[in-house]
């Protein structure tokens, strides 16, 4: 269907954009247009090509084919400066701010001729204050970026675009890093911008946000534009199906058949680290064939428990028993050797090494055991990686790609494959679906259920109560380093769990 | 201890500090500009050697003194352009390229020296910069001799430090340079060319390094010797860290190092020098510098993108 246009025609028109990275076609002949005062949502799974398309529009990448027109003028390819001057602003998913500079200097960067003698801070300060007021974007102009919260940094990114009088704003997964309250404030800002005639391209894979803010939805899949619809004329289920290309059904695990206890904590405490509470006198049983969900507000000791089970931290008190034995020396190597599979909370920091290839990342945990006579067995490593890429549907140019080039979902699939292919007896899944799109979420969750059915003990740590309730055979709540009793599936309502999460009930339970 | 006190009240000691510090100030500012833009320039040592040779040779060949300074600077900029080309658009290892430039520039200077003066055993002398007489100030008792009997090139060094600070912190260009060294994506996303900014910084910085080298042959001594730069370039790299990438602090660091150096030369001639081997005195500035470096640089903020090449279109 043709997009709505004003009398002047669309403010933005992309025609036939194609971009290849090696073997991978990230964008395949994509065309779209944007009208004044319109929010178009660009929906798609990780790796569908949304960010690549926007990077071409903004001039970070040069397309292999296709043109970008803003207000009827064709933009020269590969020049962010030209896009900025034409009134395009982009809020990158990974913020492009210099941490050692102030808010004001980040906004000013590149806005004045380099050889002029004055940075023009006075006038900029006034304009910034005006914008902050108009759009509800309060930030201290003299604060250094390093001192700002994630939400504040995003406001600076938006201010950077508005300061340059952007008419078209691209927001790349803006809510991925925000709390619900911050996301609401962002939507409020967006509505004010629309009222002033700005146009917005909103990249997301969160369906409820797309439904709430957009007037039109474009769906990308595997680099192709596969659907376009007015937001009024669709619903979340239909969008999800378009995005994934198949009907999505939430995983519904069958009845669990818990077996023997594989890992046992008795009266375990761990040290406090900075602001992070340690565990306090915790008892825990992880049983074969069962998913134990650990609910709780972020920062209540989940990290300490995860580090303990990963082997990164040792108990200061109490005992840890694995398969009826107490390991002598507790270290990450012991944990892996004794069959603990670890899906870490932060796949960038602790899950992978960004500049290593997929193959290298795959063998990070078992390079010593797969080596032959002290030499790396790269052939076996590559074969194993190829197998994981196939089996877990990791979208990538190949096993020799640096893993930083993968989207979050594909990175997580590789980590999942690395863990599951080692056939662990115990799986520590710490926020395994954070930041993933629906397709990847469902996939990861189904794999965890399959591992459970195969007899593994799964500890699922999540801040998402819905996820905990869907997947867990049994639930415990963590609060200030203490654990609640075990609640079997279906015995507690979300409200009741919420009270435990807020710390109620622990006194008489202890 | 009275011997140290005697040294400290002698005007010539303070004059020596300024003289010894001058080449360090030029080269440190040059290195600081490179590093603020995100490029570690290990070519500094060789570029200083080349600057020392080129400036001196140009004057020996008949150019005026300032003409020699200009020739040294242009030579340094040429090596800077090569360094920048290899490290910025080509994104090669900054360590390897820097050391390569040092070897290349040093060898080029020695080779050119032999070509120009094949038969000479003692290098010819030129008439170097003379102390600049400043009305009133130079006539002050003690102070005049201690602080105001320097050549114009020394004052140019201080001016270069001031200009570096002003440009880096008070102009749009300096803002772009500092951002390029912290997060080149931020520069790119604001429509500027990271490549151009980094190339420019390396070229200008290398020019300053070469002038620092030229100071040795054109102001401190009046001739060119092999090995005369003698690790000063490496000292400047440490001074940048010592100064926490801030021009003012780096300037103080250069003066401090020069102070230690001036002190040890004089200590060698005291009674202490009869007892202690002179090599121990030679170590003093380096030992004290290492201690100062440890004390000063622990909380320093390194430019976050230092030594990280930036490739457009990379994810």
């Amino acid at each position: 269907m043709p997009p709505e246009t004003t009398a002047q025609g669309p403010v933005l028109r992309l025609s036939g954009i194609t971009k290849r990275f090696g073997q991978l076609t990230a964008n395949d002949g994509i065309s779209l247009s944007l009208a004044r005062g319109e929010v178009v949502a660009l929906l798609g799974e990780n790796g569908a090509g949304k960010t690549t398309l926007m990077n071409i529009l903004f001039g970070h990448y040069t397309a292999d084919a296709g043109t970008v027109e803003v207000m009827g003028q064709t933009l020269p390819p590969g020049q962010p400066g030209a896009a900025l001057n034409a009134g395009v602003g982009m809020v990158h998913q990974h913020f492009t701010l210099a941490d050692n500079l102030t808010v004001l200097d980040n906004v000013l960067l590149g806005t004045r001729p380099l050889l002029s003698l004055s940075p023009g801070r006075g006038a900029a300060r006034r304009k910034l204050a005006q914008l902050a007021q108009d759009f509800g974007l309060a930030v201290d102009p003299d604060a250094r970026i390093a001192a700002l919260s994630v939400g504040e940094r995003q406001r600076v990114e938006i201010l950077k675009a508005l300061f340059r009088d952007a008419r078209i704003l691209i927001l790349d997964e803006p809510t991925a890093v925000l709390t619900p309250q911050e996301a609401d404030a962002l939507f409020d800002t967006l509505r004010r911008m629309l009222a002033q005639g700005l146009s917005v391209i909103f990249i997301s894979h969160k369906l409820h946000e797309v439904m709430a803010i957009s007037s039109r939805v474009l769906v990308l899949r595997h680099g192709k534009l596969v659907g376009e619809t007015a937001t009024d004329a669709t619903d979340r289920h239909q969008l999800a199906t378009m995005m994934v290309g198949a009907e999505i059904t939430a995983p519904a695990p069958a009845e669990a058949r818990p077996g023997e206890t594989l890992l046992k904590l008795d009266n375990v405490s761990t040290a406090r680290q900075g602001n992070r509470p340690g565990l306090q006198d915790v008892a825990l049983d992880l049983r074969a064939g069962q998913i134990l969900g650990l609910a709780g507000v972020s920062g209540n000791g989940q990290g300490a428990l995860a580090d303990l089970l990963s082997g990164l931290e040792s108990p200061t008190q109490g005992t840890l028993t694995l398969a009826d034995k107490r390991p002598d020396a507790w270290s990450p190597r012991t944990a892996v050797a004794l069959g603990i599979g670890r899906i870490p909370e932060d796949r960038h920091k602790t899950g992978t090494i960004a500049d290593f290839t997929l193959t290298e990342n795959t063998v990070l945990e078992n390079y010593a055991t797969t080596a032959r006579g002290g030499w790396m067995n790269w052939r076996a490593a590559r074969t194993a990686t190829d197998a994981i890429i196939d089996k877990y549907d990791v979208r990538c140019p190949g096993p020799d790609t640096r893993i930083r080039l993968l989207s979050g979902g594909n990175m997580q699939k590789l980590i999942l494959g690395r863990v599951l292919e080692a056939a662990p007896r115990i799986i520590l899944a710490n926020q395994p679906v954070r930041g993933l799109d629906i397709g990847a979420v469902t996939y990861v969750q189904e794999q965890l259920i399959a591992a459970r059915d195969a007899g593994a003990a799964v500890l699922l740590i999540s801040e998402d109560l819905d996820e905990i309730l869907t997947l867990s055979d049994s639930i415990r709540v963590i609060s200030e380093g203490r654990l609640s009793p075990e609640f079997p599936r279906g015995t507690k309502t979300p409200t009741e769990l919420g009270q435990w999460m807020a710390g109620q009930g622990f006194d008489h339970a202890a | 201890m009275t011997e140290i006190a005697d040294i400290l009240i002698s005007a010539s000691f303070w004059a020596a500090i300024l003289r010894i510090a001058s080449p360090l100030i030029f080269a440190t500012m040059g290195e600081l500009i490179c590093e603020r833009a995100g490029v570690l320039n290990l070519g500094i040592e060789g570029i200083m050697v080349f600057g020392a040779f080129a400036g001196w040779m140009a004057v020996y060949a008949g150019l005026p003194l300032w003409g020699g300074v200009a020739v040294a600077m242009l030579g340094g900029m040429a090596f800077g352009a090569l360094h920048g080309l290899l490290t910025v658009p080509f994104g090669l290892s900054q360590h390897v390229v820097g050391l390569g430039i040092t070897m290349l520039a040093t060898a080029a200077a020695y080779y050119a020296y032999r070509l120009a003066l094949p038969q000479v055993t003692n290098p010819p002398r030129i008439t170097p910069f003379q102390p600049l007489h400043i009305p009133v100030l130079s006539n002050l008792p003690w102070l005049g001799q201690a602080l105001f009997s320097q050549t114009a090139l020394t004052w140019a060094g201080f001016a270069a430090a001031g200009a570096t600070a002003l440009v880096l912190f008070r102009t749009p260009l300096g803002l772009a340079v500092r951002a390029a060294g912290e997060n080149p994506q931020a520069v790119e996303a604001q429509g500027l060319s990271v490549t151009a900014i980094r190339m420019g910084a390396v070229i200008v910085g290398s020019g300053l390094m070469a002038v620092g080298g030229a100071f040795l042959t054109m102001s401190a001594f009046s001739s060119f010797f092999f090995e005369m730069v003698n690790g000063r370039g490496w000292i400047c790299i440490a001074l940048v860290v010592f100064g926490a990438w801030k021009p003012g602090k780096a300037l103080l660091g250069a003066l401090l190092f020069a102070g230690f150096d001036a002190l040890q030369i004089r200590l060698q001639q005291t009674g202490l020098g009869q007892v202690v081997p002179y090599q121990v005195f030679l170590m003093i500035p380096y030992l004290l510098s290492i201690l100062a470096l440890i004390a000063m640089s622990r909380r320093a903020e390194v430019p976050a993108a230092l030594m990280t090449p930036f490739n457009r279109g990379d994810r």
Side-chain angles (χ1 to χ4, degrees):
Chain A
M1 85 189 65
E4 265 186 280
T5 51
T6 58
Q8 302 94 351
V11 292
L12 171 76
R13 188 195 295 277
L14 303 184
S15 315
I17 301 285
T18 298
K19 175 75 181 172
R20 291 181 204 91
F21 293 105
Q23 299 290 309
L24 188 84
T25 303
N27 285 164
D28 191 353
I30 296 175
S31 301
L32 67 84
S33 63
L34 182 67
R36 190 170 183 274
E38 184 187 33
V39 181
V40 165
L42 204 53
L43 188 68
E45 289 198 278
N46 288 311
K50 309 177 297 266
T51 300
T52 301
L53 185 66
M54 291 304 107
N55 278 336
I56 289 169
L57 160 55
F58 193 65
H60 284 312
Y61 299 162
T62 308
D64 296 321
T67 55
V68 179
E69 279 172 62
V70 177
M71 320 280 174
Q73 301 289 314
T74 304
L75 287 187
Q79 293 181 21
L84 285 165
N85 290 337
V88 179
M90 180 157 174
V91 175
H92 298 74
Q93 188 179 4
H94 303 289
F95 299 147
T96 56
L97 299 167
D99 282 1
N100 64 341
L101 304 181
T102 62
V103 170
L104 191 63
D105 280 352
N106 268 284
V107 169
L108 270 171
L109 177 62
T111 58
R112 289 177 62 83
L114 285 181
L115 296 180
S116 64
L117 286 176
S118 142
R121 290 200 175 98
R125 192 181 294 276
R126 285 189 293 277
K127 182 167 179 183
L128 207 55
Q130 186 62 45
L131 287 170
Q133 198 187 345
D134 288 353
F135 294 100
L137 294 163
V139 192
D140 172 10
D142 297 312
R144 277 160 49 99
I145 298 298
L148 298 185
S149 72
V150 173
E152 288 170 312
R153 289 179 197 210
Q154 186 174 65
R155 270 178 258 160
V156 179
E157 284 280 23
I158 297 173
L159 282 169
K160 268 165 65 179
L162 294 175
F163 186 82
R164 290 180 163 236
D165 304 317
R167 303 302 298 161
I168 300 165
L169 193 66
I170 306 163
L171 295 158
D172 190 359
E173 307 226 0
T175 58
V177 291
L178 301 183
T179 66
Q181 290 81 355
E182 285 172 329
D184 287 344
L186 170 68
F187 286 163
D188 183 48
T189 298
L190 290 185
R191 288 193 189 97
R192 292 198 208 190
M193 289 178 359
L194 299 177
Q196 305 230 359
L198 274 78
S199 309
V200 173
I201 297 182
F202 184 88
I203 300 180
S204 183
H205 53 239
K206 292 187 186 167
L207 294 169
H208 62 273
E209 291 173 354
V210 169
M211 295 300 295
I213 194 81
S214 73
S215 46
R216 200 151 54 89
V217 188
L218 302 176
V219 184
L220 288 188
R221 192 167 73 229
H222 297 195
K224 290 197 177 75
L225 190 62
V226 294
E228 178 171 355
T229 169
T231 310
D232 298 341
T234 187
D235 58 35
R236 286 168 66 164
H237 182 76
Q238 193 192 352
L239 287 178
T241 310
M242 267 159 77
M243 185 162 101
V244 183
E247 287 280 325
I248 290 287
T249 44
E255 189 78 20
R257 292 185 304 276
E260 56 185 318
T261 296
L262 297 180
L263 181 145
K264 194 173 178 62
L265 299 182
D266 276 316
N267 304 323
V268 165
S269 298
T270 62
R272 185 180 186 86
Q273 291 187 1
N275 287 328
R276 197 183 83 173
L279 298 176
Q280 289 180 28
D281 216 5
V282 160
L284 177 77
D285 280 4
L286 293 184
R287 284 181 283 277
Q290 188 188 48
I291 296 181
L292 178 68
L294 186 72
V297 179
S298 172
N300 267 287
Q302 292 98 328
L305 182 60
D307 280 358
L308 176 68
L309 298 190
S310 305
L312 291 166
E313 212 176 310
S314 296
T316 51
Q317 168 205 309
T319 57
L320 180 152
T321 316
L322 257 173
D324 297 327
K325 281 199 286 277
R326 290 177 55 185
D328 320 324
W330 190 232
S331 71
R333 179 175 287 219
T334 325
V336 173
L338 294 178
I340 298 186
R342 307 164 306 166
I343 303 174
E345 178 178 16
D346 187 333
R347 48 187 169 265
H348 299 281
K349 257 191 205 154
T350 42
T352 58
I353 300 177
D355 279 316
F356 274 23
T357 65
L358 268 65
T359 306
E360 288 167 326
N361 273 293
T362 303
V363 295
L364 276 184
E365 279 182 351
N366 63 358
Y367 62 91
T369 48
T370 54
R372 279 190 305 201
W375 296 93
M376 285 299 300
N377 188 351
W378 285 118
R379 184 179 307 214
R382 278 187 61 120
T383 313
T385 310
D386 277 329
I388 290 175
I389 291 172
D390 276 356
K391 186 168 167 188
Y392 295 88
D393 190 28
V394 182
R395 307 258 166 78
C396 64
D400 297 326
T401 315
R402 285 181 301 151
I403 203 161
R404 71 154 71 241
L405 298 177
L406 266 58
S407 65
N410 285 313
M411 211 182 271
Q412 191 74 335
K413 284 178 185 173
L414 186 89
I415 293 173
L416 189 72
R418 178 173 81 191
V419 168
L420 295 182
E421 289 303 297
R425 308 234 39 217
I426 298 161
I427 297 171
L428 167 68
N430 193 357
Q431 311 268 11
V433 301
R434 178 191 270 181
L436 304 189
D437 56 46
I438 311 172
V441 165
T442 312
Y443 184 82
V444 170
Q445 291 178 342
E446 282 169 356
Q447 293 295 319
L448 289 177
I449 293 168
R452 177 203 79 169
D453 291 344
V458 180
L459 176 66
L460 171 71
I461 302 179
S462 176
E463 285 151 26
D464 180 349
L465 204 48
D466 286 341
E467 183 187 8
I468 295 271
L469 287 165
T470 312
L471 292 184
S472 310
D473 304 310
S474 195
I475 297 174
R476 301 188 69 174
V477 182
I478 192 164
S479 171
E480 291 171 25
R482 300 163 302 175
L483 283 184
S484 75
E486 212 169 301
F487 309 122
R489 175 184 285 275
T491 56
K492 284 274 183 270
T493 64
T495 318
E496 288 169 316
L497 289 175
Q499 286 166 350
W500 281 92
M501 285 161 71
Q504 294 165 22
F506 279 93
D507 293 328
H508 51 266
Chain B
M1 290 318 282
T2 58
E3 289 162 331
I4 294 186
D6 284 345
I7 292 172
L8 291 181
I9 57 165
S10 74
S12 73
F13 169 70
W14 296 94
I17 292 180
L18 295 185
R19 188 173 62 244
I20 297 171
S22 298
L24 302 177
I25 293 171
F26 275 114
T28 301
M29 292 307 141
E31 182 67 32
L32 190 144
I33 292 170
C34 296
E35 293 194 17
R36 272 289 187 169
V39 181
L40 177 73
N41 190 343
L42 293 183
I44 183 169
E45 178 83 7
I47 291 171
M48 287 181 79
V49 173
F50 191 85
F53 167 77
W56 168 79
M57 194 70 225
V59 174
Y60 177 69
L63 252 61
L65 283 166
W66 287 107
V69 172
V71 167
M73 188 176 224
L74 288 175
M77 290 168 90
F79 281 106
L82 180 61
H83 185 292
L85 183 72
L86 295 175
T87 53
V88 180
F90 294 166
L92 301 181
S93 156
Q94 298 181 2
H95 292 101
V96 174
V97 169
L99 293 174
I101 293 283
T102 280
M103 289 190 265
L104 177 68
T106 306
Y110 293 176
Y111 181 60
Y113 175 85
R114 275 295 163 225
L115 278 186
L117 305 161
Q119 306 297 334
V120 177
T121 42
N122 280 322
R125 308 182 77 84
I126 58 168
T127 309
F129 279 98
Q130 299 301 316
L132 192 67
H133 185 86
I134 305 170
V136 186
L137 291 177
S138 295
N139 297 331
L140 292 173
W142 193 82
L143 271 180
Q145 206 207 333
L147 300 182
F148 301 108
S149 59
Q150 301 296 327
T151 67
L153 212 46
T154 291
W155 300 124
F158 281 91
T164 302
L166 274 180
V167 171
L168 275 180
F169 293 97
R170 295 288 167 89
T171 69
L173 180 64
L175 182 60
V177 169
R178 286 184 291 141
E182 183 73 14
N183 183 0
Q185 274 81 16
V187 176
E188 157 104 355
Q190 289 284 63
L192 299 174
S193 164
V194 178
T195 307
I197 290 165
R198 287 188 163 178
M199 282 289 290
V202 175
I203 290 173
V204 169
S206 300
L208 283 176
M209 294 169 191
V211 175
F215 183 92
L216 295 173
T217 49
M218 301 177 64
S219 185
F221 311 101
S222 51
S223 198
F224 176 78
F225 313 100
F226 290 174
E227 312 292 339
M228 78 185 304
V229 173
N230 193 21
R232 283 182 175 82
W234 311 135
I235 292 293
C236 294
I237 301 230
L239 287 174
V240 172
V241 181
F242 175 87
W245 289 268
K246 294 187 173 73
K249 275 183 160 181
L251 177 73
L252 280 181
L255 290 170
L256 196 66
F257 179 86
F260 293 144
D261 204 23
L263 185 65
Q264 67 86 11
I265 295 167
R266 281 156 183 79
L267 279 179
Q268 286 185 44
Q269 283 133 34
T270 63
L272 217 53
Q274 310 296 317
V275 196
V276 185
Y278 76 96
Q279 286 91 342
V280 174
F281 293 102
L282 286 179
M283 281 195 287
I284 291 175
Y286 299 94
L287 276 177
L288 292 179
S289 298
I290 289 171
L291 291 179
L293 193 60
I294 292 169
M296 291 286 290
S297 61
R298 297 184 74 169
R299 289 178 60 228
E301 275 183 50
V302 188
L306 181 61
M307 289 185 280
T308 312
F310 175 74
N311 298 316
R312 295 198 63 215
D314 228 23
R315 285 189 284 183

